[in-house]
Amino acid sequence: MDLELSEEHAALRATVEDFARKEVAPVIGDLYERGEFPYEIVAKMGEMGLFGLPVAEEYGGMGGDYFALCLALEELARVDSSVAITLEAGVSLGEMPIYRFGTEEQKQQWLPDLAAGRKLGAFGLTEAGGGSDAGATRTTARVDDGEWVVNGSKAFITNSGTDITSLVTVTAVTGLSDGRKEISAILIPAGTPGFTFSEKYSKVGWSASDTRELFFDDCRVPEANLVGERGRGYAQFLSILDEGRVAIAALSVGLAQGCVDESLRYAREREAFGQAIGRYQAIQFKIADMEVRAHTARLAYYAAAAKMLRGEPFKKEAAIAKLVASNAAMDNARDATQIFGGYGFMNEYPVARFYRDAKILEIGEGTSEVQRMLIARQLGL
């Protein structure tokens, strides 16, 4: 198996690496501490075509593949995860439901601005009483005079309340089928009467990203705003989530590798007892273990992406990649903080952000426990 990147993928990776170091790193610390959304960075990423990487050119995209998005996410997360998750959610959750399942009219109307980064989309799945158990959806939608009337709320929704958010696709119970909830996906444009959102959450990490609670009170949208088939909203999202787990794995690898980068720099500069701490075997072994975790997690997401691009089933591989990579990110963040000592507890250092950002990777887009359930099921248990 050839793990060498193609010329196009290698060039993209290098371009995003350079962008992250020169454009993101100098400013993200202040934005993070103030909890400000990085509008200028998002605009620059849009100009680079990052939001359109896996979208066909006919809809304003770059005509690339999902692996290209993963490479971009890894390089961004080596510097900052708030920026990386804004891109990941914008593409995976904002664009992909429309790109994969939307009508031609929906694609033509919404994708060009989303793929250019001029606008952001969001996906409303999680509810206060239904995270891992997404089938517990309580938000409802009924048809009345040619319109969907949506009522309910959603929690922890990324990119849902920015100044450039243009839409949110929500899952809602649209009826019963054989005694079970019929769940459909409905596109709700920003600014629609009856659709409101909370102030930004005060979060442990991802402080420069936008995350809010959404509310729908007799919110009416055209019946044509159904995304995909009626009653297939949950199933559609599960397929989107498989792709998203590969993307989150790539983001996690980026954070894990960023911890290695920062620890190597610090170990060469910081002196204790008369020599650089990198000369001590205890530090060497810790950094070696960190590199092993990042390398292994990268191989896991590469393998999942390879099966995805070949059109083969990749649910198990996506779950493995997400589990391994999020564990690596959390473990590396903890070890990097330990290497930095007291400075690792100071927010002015990137490892403090990494530590704050790592934990959510074991929760978002499927908890580690859910990944283990999926792997077990794929093994026939």
Side-chain angles (χ1 to χ4, degrees), residues 141-204:
R142 59 181 175 83
V143 176
D144 178 61
D145 195 24
E147 295 180 316
W148 290 107
V149 183
V150 183
N151 284 281
S153 63
K154 299 291 179 177
F156 313 132
I157 309 305
T158 305
N159 292 345
S160 56
T162 74
D163 293 343
I164 57 174
T165 298
S166 63
L167 65 93
V168 57
T169 304
V170 302
T171 51
V173 178
T174 52
L176 293 174
S177 179
D178 297 326
R180 302 178 64 181
K181 290 180 179 178
E182 173 191 86
I183 298 178
S184 305
I186 299 170
L187 189 156
I188 301 179
T192 301
F195 169 30
T196 57
F197 48 80
S198 70
E199 292 295 317
K200 292 188 300 182
Y201 287 107
S202 175
K203 297 174 293 187
V204 171

Short mmCIF file of all heavy atoms in Angstrom, two decimals, residues 141-204:
data_model
loop_
_atom_site.label_atom_id
_atom_site.label_comp_id
_atom_site.label_asym_id
_atom_site.label_seq_id
_atom_site.Cartn_x
_atom_site.Cartn_y
_atom_site.Cartn_z
N ALA A 141 -41.95 18.53 13.02
CA ALA A 141 -42.28 19.32 11.84
C ALA A 141 -43.53 18.71 11.21
O ALA A 141 -43.59 17.50 11.00
CB ALA A 141 -41.13 19.34 10.85
N ARG A 142 -44.51 19.54 10.92
CA ARG A 142 -45.74 19.09 10.27
C ARG A 142 -46.01 19.95 9.06
O ARG A 142 -45.58 21.12 8.99
CB ARG A 142 -46.92 19.14 11.24
CG ARG A 142 -47.19 20.53 11.78
CD ARG A 142 -48.36 20.55 12.77
NE ARG A 142 -48.53 21.88 13.36
CZ ARG A 142 -49.19 22.88 12.80
NH1 ARG A 142 -49.78 22.71 11.61
NH2 ARG A 142 -49.30 24.05 13.40
N VAL A 143 -46.69 19.39 8.09
CA VAL A 143 -47.02 20.13 6.88
C VAL A 143 -48.35 20.86 7.07
O VAL A 143 -49.34 20.26 7.52
CB VAL A 143 -47.10 19.19 5.66
CG1 VAL A 143 -47.55 19.97 4.43
CG2 VAL A 143 -45.76 18.53 5.41
N ASP A 144 -48.35 22.14 6.76
CA ASP A 144 -49.56 22.94 6.85
C ASP A 144 -49.59 23.93 5.69
O ASP A 144 -48.74 24.82 5.59
CB ASP A 144 -49.60 23.70 8.19
CG ASP A 144 -50.83 24.60 8.30
OD1 ASP A 144 -51.95 24.08 8.26
OD2 ASP A 144 -50.64 25.84 8.40
N ASP A 145 -50.53 23.73 4.80
CA ASP A 145 -50.71 24.64 3.66
C ASP A 145 -49.43 24.82 2.86
O ASP A 145 -49.02 25.94 2.54
CB ASP A 145 -51.23 25.99 4.16
CG ASP A 145 -51.80 26.85 3.04
OD1 ASP A 145 -52.21 26.28 2.00
OD2 ASP A 145 -51.81 28.10 3.19
N GLY A 146 -48.77 23.70 2.55
CA GLY A 146 -47.58 23.75 1.72
C GLY A 146 -46.31 24.16 2.43
O GLY A 146 -45.28 24.43 1.77
N GLU A 147 -46.35 24.23 3.75
CA GLU A 147 -45.16 24.63 4.52
C GLU A 147 -44.91 23.64 5.66
O GLU A 147 -45.83 23.05 6.20
CB GLU A 147 -45.33 26.03 5.10
CG GLU A 147 -45.41 27.14 4.06
CD GLU A 147 -45.56 28.49 4.71
OE1 GLU A 147 -46.36 28.61 5.67
OE2 GLU A 147 -44.87 29.44 4.29
N TRP A 148 -43.64 23.51 6.01
CA TRP A 148 -43.27 22.79 7.23
C TRP A 148 -43.37 23.76 8.40
O TRP A 148 -42.88 24.89 8.33
CB TRP A 148 -41.83 22.27 7.16
CG TRP A 148 -41.61 21.15 6.19
CD1 TRP A 148 -40.97 21.21 4.98
CD2 TRP A 148 -42.01 19.79 6.38
NE1 TRP A 148 -40.95 19.97 4.39
CE2 TRP A 148 -41.58 19.06 5.23
CE3 TRP A 148 -42.68 19.10 7.39
CZ2 TRP A 148 -41.80 17.71 5.08
CZ3 TRP A 148 -42.90 17.74 7.24
CH2 TRP A 148 -42.48 17.06 6.10
N VAL A 149 -44.01 23.32 9.46
CA VAL A 149 -44.08 24.10 10.70
C VAL A 149 -43.23 23.37 11.73
O VAL A 149 -43.57 22.26 12.16
CB VAL A 149 -45.54 24.25 11.20
CG1 VAL A 149 -45.56 25.14 12.45
CG2 VAL A 149 -46.42 24.83 10.10
N VAL A 150 -42.13 23.99 12.10
CA VAL A 150 -41.13 23.34 12.95
C VAL A 150 -41.20 23.89 14.37
O VAL A 150 -41.23 25.11 14.58
CB VAL A 150 -39.71 23.55 12.39
CG1 VAL A 150 -38.66 22.81 13.24
CG2 VAL A 150 -39.64 23.09 10.93
N ASN A 151 -41.18 22.97 15.35
CA ASN A 151 -41.17 23.35 16.76
C ASN A 151 -40.18 22.47 17.51
O ASN A 151 -40.11 21.26 17.28
CB ASN A 151 -42.56 23.18 17.38
CG ASN A 151 -43.52 24.29 16.99
OD1 ASN A 151 -43.47 25.39 17.53
ND2 ASN A 151 -44.39 23.99 16.02
N GLY A 152 -39.40 23.10 18.40
CA GLY A 152 -38.45 22.34 19.19
C GLY A 152 -37.17 23.12 19.42
O GLY A 152 -37.12 24.34 19.25
N SER A 153 -36.11 22.41 19.80
CA SER A 153 -34.83 23.06 20.06
C SER A 153 -33.69 22.10 19.77
O SER A 153 -33.88 20.87 19.74
CB SER A 153 -34.76 23.53 21.52
OG SER A 153 -34.82 22.42 22.41
N LYS A 154 -32.52 22.66 19.57
CA LYS A 154 -31.30 21.88 19.32
C LYS A 154 -30.19 22.44 20.20
O LYS A 154 -30.19 23.63 20.54
CB LYS A 154 -30.89 21.97 17.84
CG LYS A 154 -31.92 21.40 16.87
CD LYS A 154 -32.06 19.90 16.99
CE LYS A 154 -33.09 19.35 16.03
NZ LYS A 154 -33.19 17.86 16.09
N ALA A 155 -29.23 21.59 20.55
CA ALA A 155 -28.16 22.01 21.46
C ALA A 155 -26.79 21.73 20.85
O ALA A 155 -26.63 20.80 20.05
CB ALA A 155 -28.27 21.27 22.79
N PHE A 156 -25.82 22.56 21.23
CA PHE A 156 -24.41 22.38 20.84
C PHE A 156 -24.20 22.45 19.32
O PHE A 156 -23.45 21.65 18.76
CB PHE A 156 -23.87 21.04 21.37
CG PHE A 156 -24.18 20.76 22.80
CD1 PHE A 156 -24.70 19.54 23.19
CD2 PHE A 156 -23.97 21.73 23.78
CE1 PHE A 156 -25.00 19.27 24.52
CE2 PHE A 156 -24.26 21.48 25.12
CZ PHE A 156 -24.78 20.24 25.49
N ILE A 157 -24.82 23.40 18.66
CA ILE A 157 -24.75 23.46 17.20
C ILE A 157 -23.68 24.45 16.75
O ILE A 157 -23.74 25.64 17.04
CB ILE A 157 -26.13 23.85 16.60
CG1 ILE A 157 -27.23 22.94 17.19
CG2 ILE A 157 -26.08 23.74 15.08
CD1 ILE A 157 -26.98 21.46 17.02
N THR A 158 -22.70 23.95 15.99
CA THR A 158 -21.56 24.73 15.54
C THR A 158 -21.91 25.56 14.31
O THR A 158 -22.62 25.11 13.43
CB THR A 158 -20.39 23.79 15.21
OG1 THR A 158 -20.10 22.97 16.34
CG2 THR A 158 -19.13 24.58 14.84
N ASN A 159 -21.37 26.79 14.28
CA ASN A 159 -21.54 27.72 13.15
C ASN A 159 -22.98 28.18 12.97
O ASN A 159 -23.36 28.63 11.88
CB ASN A 159 -21.07 27.10 11.82
CG ASN A 159 -19.57 26.88 11.77
OD1 ASN A 159 -18.82 27.43 12.57
ND2 ASN A 159 -19.12 26.08 10.81
N SER A 160 -23.79 28.10 14.01
CA SER A 160 -25.22 28.35 13.83
C SER A 160 -25.65 29.79 14.05
O SER A 160 -26.76 30.17 13.67
CB SER A 160 -26.02 27.44 14.78
OG SER A 160 -25.61 27.64 16.13
N GLY A 161 -24.79 30.63 14.64
CA GLY A 161 -25.22 31.99 14.95
C GLY A 161 -24.24 33.07 14.55
O GLY A 161 -24.31 34.18 15.08
N THR A 162 -23.38 32.78 13.60
CA THR A 162 -22.43 33.80 13.15
C THR A 162 -23.11 34.81 12.25
O THR A 162 -24.23 34.60 11.77
CB THR A 162 -21.25 33.17 12.38
OG1 THR A 162 -21.69 32.76 11.08
CG2 THR A 162 -20.68 31.96 13.11
N ASP A 163 -22.41 35.89 11.97
CA ASP A 163 -22.96 36.91 11.07
C ASP A 163 -23.06 36.42 9.63
O ASP A 163 -23.76 37.04 8.81
CB ASP A 163 -22.07 38.17 11.10
CG ASP A 163 -22.10 38.88 12.44
OD1 ASP A 163 -23.02 38.60 13.24
OD2 ASP A 163 -21.19 39.71 12.69
N ILE A 164 -22.36 35.32 9.32
CA ILE A 164 -22.38 34.81 7.94
C ILE A 164 -23.09 33.46 7.84
O ILE A 164 -23.05 32.82 6.79
CB ILE A 164 -20.96 34.71 7.35
CG1 ILE A 164 -20.07 33.82 8.23
CG2 ILE A 164 -20.35 36.09 7.19
CD1 ILE A 164 -18.70 33.56 7.61
N THR A 165 -23.75 33.03 8.91
CA THR A 165 -24.53 31.79 8.84
C THR A 165 -25.75 32.00 7.95
O THR A 165 -26.52 32.94 8.16
CB THR A 165 -24.98 31.34 10.24
OG1 THR A 165 -23.82 31.08 11.04
CG2 THR A 165 -25.84 30.09 10.16
N SER A 166 -25.92 31.12 6.96
CA SER A 166 -27.03 31.29 6.03
C SER A 166 -28.14 30.28 6.23
O SER A 166 -29.27 30.52 5.81
CB SER A 166 -26.53 31.22 4.58
OG SER A 166 -25.98 29.94 4.31
N LEU A 167 -27.83 29.15 6.85
CA LEU A 167 -28.86 28.12 6.99
C LEU A 167 -28.46 27.12 8.06
O LEU A 167 -27.30 27.00 8.44
CB LEU A 167 -29.05 27.36 5.67
CG LEU A 167 -27.86 26.52 5.17
CD1 LEU A 167 -27.96 25.06 5.64
CD2 LEU A 167 -27.76 26.56 3.66
N VAL A 168 -29.46 26.41 8.55
CA VAL A 168 -29.24 25.25 9.40
C VAL A 168 -30.18 24.16 8.91
O VAL A 168 -31.36 24.42 8.63
CB VAL A 168 -29.47 25.56 10.89
CG1 VAL A 168 -30.86 26.11 11.14
CG2 VAL A 168 -29.24 24.32 11.74
N THR A 169 -29.66 22.96 8.73
CA THR A 169 -30.49 21.81 8.38
C THR A 169 -30.78 21.06 9.67
O THR A 169 -29.85 20.69 10.40
CB THR A 169 -29.76 20.88 7.39
OG1 THR A 169 -29.39 21.63 6.23
CG2 THR A 169 -30.66 19.73 6.98
N VAL A 170 -32.05 20.86 9.99
CA VAL A 170 -32.41 20.24 11.26
C VAL A 170 -33.13 18.91 11.03
O VAL A 170 -33.85 18.73 10.04
CB VAL A 170 -33.30 21.16 12.11
CG1 VAL A 170 -32.61 22.49 12.38
CG2 VAL A 170 -34.65 21.39 11.45
N THR A 171 -32.92 18.00 11.96
CA THR A 171 -33.70 16.76 11.96
C THR A 171 -34.93 16.98 12.83
O THR A 171 -34.86 17.61 13.89
CB THR A 171 -32.88 15.59 12.51
OG1 THR A 171 -32.30 15.95 13.77
CG2 THR A 171 -31.78 15.19 11.54
N ALA A 172 -36.06 16.47 12.36
CA ALA A 172 -37.32 16.64 13.08
C ALA A 172 -38.21 15.43 12.86
O ALA A 172 -38.13 14.76 11.82
CB ALA A 172 -38.03 17.91 12.62
N VAL A 173 -39.02 15.16 13.84
CA VAL A 173 -40.00 14.07 13.72
C VAL A 173 -41.14 14.56 12.84
O VAL A 173 -41.82 15.54 13.17
CB VAL A 173 -40.53 13.66 15.11
CG1 VAL A 173 -41.59 12.55 14.95
CG2 VAL A 173 -39.40 13.19 16.00
N THR A 174 -41.34 13.90 11.71
CA THR A 174 -42.38 14.33 10.76
C THR A 174 -43.55 13.35 10.71
O THR A 174 -44.42 13.48 9.85
CB THR A 174 -41.77 14.48 9.35
OG1 THR A 174 -41.06 13.29 9.00
CG2 THR A 174 -40.81 15.66 9.32
N GLY A 175 -43.59 12.39 11.61
CA GLY A 175 -44.68 11.43 11.66
C GLY A 175 -44.23 10.13 12.29
O GLY A 175 -43.15 10.05 12.89
N LEU A 176 -45.08 9.13 12.16
CA LEU A 176 -44.78 7.79 12.67
C LEU A 176 -44.86 6.80 11.53
O LEU A 176 -45.70 6.91 10.64
CB LEU A 176 -45.75 7.38 13.78
CG LEU A 176 -45.69 8.17 15.09
CD1 LEU A 176 -46.81 7.71 16.02
CD2 LEU A 176 -44.34 7.97 15.77
N SER A 177 -43.97 5.80 11.53
CA SER A 177 -43.97 4.74 10.53
C SER A 177 -43.78 3.41 11.24
O SER A 177 -42.75 3.19 11.88
CB SER A 177 -42.84 4.96 9.51
OG SER A 177 -42.81 3.92 8.56
N ASP A 178 -44.81 2.56 11.17
CA ASP A 178 -44.78 1.28 11.89
C ASP A 178 -44.53 1.48 13.37
O ASP A 178 -43.80 0.71 14.02
CB ASP A 178 -43.71 0.34 11.30
CG ASP A 178 -43.99 -0.03 9.86
OD1 ASP A 178 -45.18 -0.16 9.51
OD2 ASP A 178 -43.03 -0.19 9.08
N GLY A 179 -45.11 2.55 13.92
CA GLY A 179 -44.97 2.81 15.35
C GLY A 179 -43.67 3.47 15.75
O GLY A 179 -43.46 3.75 16.94
N ARG A 180 -42.81 3.74 14.78
CA ARG A 180 -41.53 4.37 15.09
C ARG A 180 -41.50 5.79 14.53
O ARG A 180 -42.19 6.11 13.56
CB ARG A 180 -40.37 3.56 14.49
CG ARG A 180 -40.33 2.12 14.98
CD ARG A 180 -39.20 1.35 14.31
NE ARG A 180 -37.90 1.87 14.67
CZ ARG A 180 -36.76 1.39 14.20
NH1 ARG A 180 -36.77 0.37 13.33
NH2 ARG A 180 -35.60 1.92 14.58
N LYS A 181 -40.66 6.63 15.15
CA LYS A 181 -40.58 8.01 14.70
C LYS A 181 -40.05 8.08 13.26
O LYS A 181 -39.06 7.44 12.92
CB LYS A 181 -39.64 8.80 15.62
CG LYS A 181 -40.18 9.04 17.01
CD LYS A 181 -39.18 9.84 17.84
CE LYS A 181 -39.72 10.10 19.24
NZ LYS A 181 -38.72 10.84 20.07
N GLU A 182 -40.72 8.87 12.46
CA GLU A 182 -40.23 9.19 11.12
C GLU A 182 -39.45 10.49 11.23
O GLU A 182 -40.01 11.54 11.55
CB GLU A 182 -41.42 9.36 10.17
CG GLU A 182 -41.03 9.84 8.78
CD GLU A 182 -42.25 10.26 7.97
OE1 GLU A 182 -42.68 11.44 8.11
OE2 GLU A 182 -42.77 9.42 7.22
N ILE A 183 -38.15 10.43 11.00
CA ILE A 183 -37.28 11.60 11.16
C ILE A 183 -36.82 12.08 9.79
O ILE A 183 -36.31 11.30 8.98
CB ILE A 183 -36.07 11.28 12.05
CG1 ILE A 183 -36.55 10.90 13.46
CG2 ILE A 183 -35.12 12.48 12.12
CD1 ILE A 183 -35.45 10.52 14.41
N SER A 184 -37.04 13.36 9.54
CA SER A 184 -36.67 13.96 8.26
C SER A 184 -35.74 15.14 8.49
O SER A 184 -35.64 15.66 9.61
CB SER A 184 -37.92 14.42 7.49
OG SER A 184 -38.84 13.35 7.34
N ALA A 185 -35.06 15.56 7.44
CA ALA A 185 -34.16 16.71 7.52
C ALA A 185 -34.77 17.88 6.76
O ALA A 185 -35.21 17.72 5.62
CB ALA A 185 -32.79 16.36 6.93
N ILE A 186 -34.79 19.04 7.39
CA ILE A 186 -35.43 20.21 6.81
C ILE A 186 -34.48 21.40 6.86
O ILE A 186 -33.86 21.67 7.90
CB ILE A 186 -36.73 20.54 7.57
CG1 ILE A 186 -37.71 19.36 7.46
CG2 ILE A 186 -37.37 21.82 7.03
CD1 ILE A 186 -38.92 19.48 8.36
N LEU A 187 -34.36 22.10 5.76
CA LEU A 187 -33.45 23.25 5.64
C LEU A 187 -34.18 24.51 6.08
O LEU A 187 -35.25 24.84 5.56
CB LEU A 187 -32.98 23.37 4.19
CG LEU A 187 -31.87 24.35 3.85
CD1 LEU A 187 -31.18 23.92 2.56
CD2 LEU A 187 -32.42 25.77 3.68
N ILE A 188 -33.58 25.21 7.04
CA ILE A 188 -34.19 26.43 7.57
C ILE A 188 -33.21 27.59 7.37
O ILE A 188 -32.14 27.62 7.97
CB ILE A 188 -34.54 26.29 9.05
CG1 ILE A 188 -35.52 25.12 9.24
CG2 ILE A 188 -35.14 27.59 9.60
CD1 ILE A 188 -35.93 24.87 10.67
N PRO A 189 -33.53 28.55 6.50
CA PRO A 189 -32.64 29.70 6.28
C PRO A 189 -32.52 30.56 7.53
O PRO A 189 -33.47 30.68 8.32
CB PRO A 189 -33.33 30.46 5.16
CG PRO A 189 -34.22 29.46 4.49
CD PRO A 189 -34.69 28.56 5.60
N ALA A 190 -31.35 31.15 7.73
CA ALA A 190 -31.16 32.09 8.82
C ALA A 190 -32.12 33.27 8.65
O ALA A 190 -32.40 33.70 7.53
CB ALA A 190 -29.72 32.59 8.84
N GLY A 191 -32.63 33.75 9.75
CA GLY A 191 -33.54 34.89 9.71
C GLY A 191 -35.00 34.52 9.52
O GLY A 191 -35.86 35.40 9.52
N THR A 192 -35.30 33.23 9.36
CA THR A 192 -36.69 32.81 9.21
C THR A 192 -37.45 33.10 10.50
O THR A 192 -36.98 32.76 11.60
CB THR A 192 -36.77 31.30 8.91
OG1 THR A 192 -36.06 31.02 7.70
CG2 THR A 192 -38.22 30.85 8.77
N PRO A 193 -38.62 33.74 10.43
CA PRO A 193 -39.41 34.02 11.64
C PRO A 193 -39.67 32.72 12.42
O PRO A 193 -39.99 31.68 11.84
CB PRO A 193 -40.71 34.61 11.09
CG PRO A 193 -40.29 35.25 9.80
CD PRO A 193 -39.25 34.33 9.23
N GLY A 194 -39.50 32.80 13.73
CA GLY A 194 -39.69 31.62 14.57
C GLY A 194 -38.42 30.85 14.83
O GLY A 194 -38.40 29.93 15.65
N PHE A 195 -37.33 31.20 14.13
CA PHE A 195 -36.03 30.56 14.34
C PHE A 195 -35.12 31.54 15.06
O PHE A 195 -34.77 32.61 14.54
CB PHE A 195 -35.43 30.17 12.98
CG PHE A 195 -33.98 29.74 13.03
CD1 PHE A 195 -33.44 29.12 14.16
CD2 PHE A 195 -33.15 29.94 11.94
CE1 PHE A 195 -32.12 28.73 14.20
CE2 PHE A 195 -31.82 29.55 11.96
CZ PHE A 195 -31.30 28.95 13.10
N THR A 196 -34.74 31.20 16.29
CA THR A 196 -33.84 32.04 17.09
C THR A 196 -32.74 31.17 17.68
O THR A 196 -32.81 29.94 17.65
CB THR A 196 -34.59 32.75 18.22
OG1 THR A 196 -35.24 31.78 19.05
CG2 THR A 196 -35.64 33.72 17.67
N PHE A 197 -31.72 31.83 18.20
CA PHE A 197 -30.64 31.09 18.83
C PHE A 197 -30.17 31.82 20.08
O PHE A 197 -30.40 33.02 20.25
CB PHE A 197 -29.47 30.88 17.86
CG PHE A 197 -29.02 32.10 17.13
CD1 PHE A 197 -28.19 33.05 17.74
CD2 PHE A 197 -29.42 32.32 15.81
CE1 PHE A 197 -27.78 34.18 17.06
CE2 PHE A 197 -29.01 33.45 15.12
CZ PHE A 197 -28.18 34.38 15.75
N SER A 198 -29.51 31.07 20.95
CA SER A 198 -29.04 31.60 22.22
C SER A 198 -27.76 32.40 22.02
O SER A 198 -27.19 32.45 20.93
CB SER A 198 -28.76 30.46 23.20
OG SER A 198 -27.62 29.72 22.76
N GLU A 199 -27.30 33.02 23.09
CA GLU A 199 -25.95 33.57 23.11
C GLU A 199 -24.97 32.40 22.98
O GLU A 199 -25.32 31.25 23.22
CB GLU A 199 -25.69 34.32 24.42
CG GLU A 199 -26.50 35.60 24.57
CD GLU A 199 -26.12 36.65 23.53
OE1 GLU A 199 -24.90 36.82 23.29
OE2 GLU A 199 -27.03 37.27 22.96
N LYS A 200 -23.73 32.71 22.62
CA LYS A 200 -22.73 31.65 22.51
C LYS A 200 -22.54 30.97 23.86
O LYS A 200 -22.56 31.63 24.90
CB LYS A 200 -21.39 32.22 22.03
CG LYS A 200 -21.39 32.73 20.61
CD LYS A 200 -19.99 33.09 20.15
CE LYS A 200 -19.39 34.18 21.03
NZ LYS A 200 -18.03 34.55 20.56
N TYR A 201 -22.34 29.65 23.81
CA TYR A 201 -22.01 28.94 25.03
C TYR A 201 -20.67 29.43 25.58
O TYR A 201 -19.76 29.80 24.82
CB TYR A 201 -21.87 27.44 24.76
CG TYR A 201 -23.14 26.68 24.50
CD1 TYR A 201 -23.44 26.24 23.21
CD2 TYR A 201 -24.03 26.36 25.51
CE1 TYR A 201 -24.57 25.51 22.94
CE2 TYR A 201 -25.18 25.63 25.26
CZ TYR A 201 -25.45 25.20 23.97
OH TYR A 201 -26.58 24.48 23.72
N SER A 202 -20.53 29.40 26.89
CA SER A 202 -19.23 29.59 27.53
C SER A 202 -18.59 28.21 27.63
O SER A 202 -19.02 27.38 28.43
CB SER A 202 -19.39 30.22 28.92
OG SER A 202 -18.14 30.30 29.57
N LYS A 203 -17.58 27.96 26.79
CA LYS A 203 -17.04 26.60 26.64
C LYS A 203 -15.66 26.47 27.27
O LYS A 203 -14.93 27.45 27.43
CB LYS A 203 -16.94 26.25 25.15
CG LYS A 203 -18.28 26.21 24.43
CD LYS A 203 -18.09 25.99 22.93
CE LYS A 203 -17.41 27.17 22.28
NZ LYS A 203 -17.37 27.05 20.80
N VAL A 204 -15.30 25.25 27.60
CA VAL A 204 -13.97 24.95 28.10
C VAL A 204 -12.94 25.20 27.00
O VAL A 204 -11.85 25.75 27.25
CB VAL A 204 -13.88 23.50 28.60
CG1 VAL A 204 -12.43 23.11 28.91
CG2 VAL A 204 -14.75 23.31 29.84
#
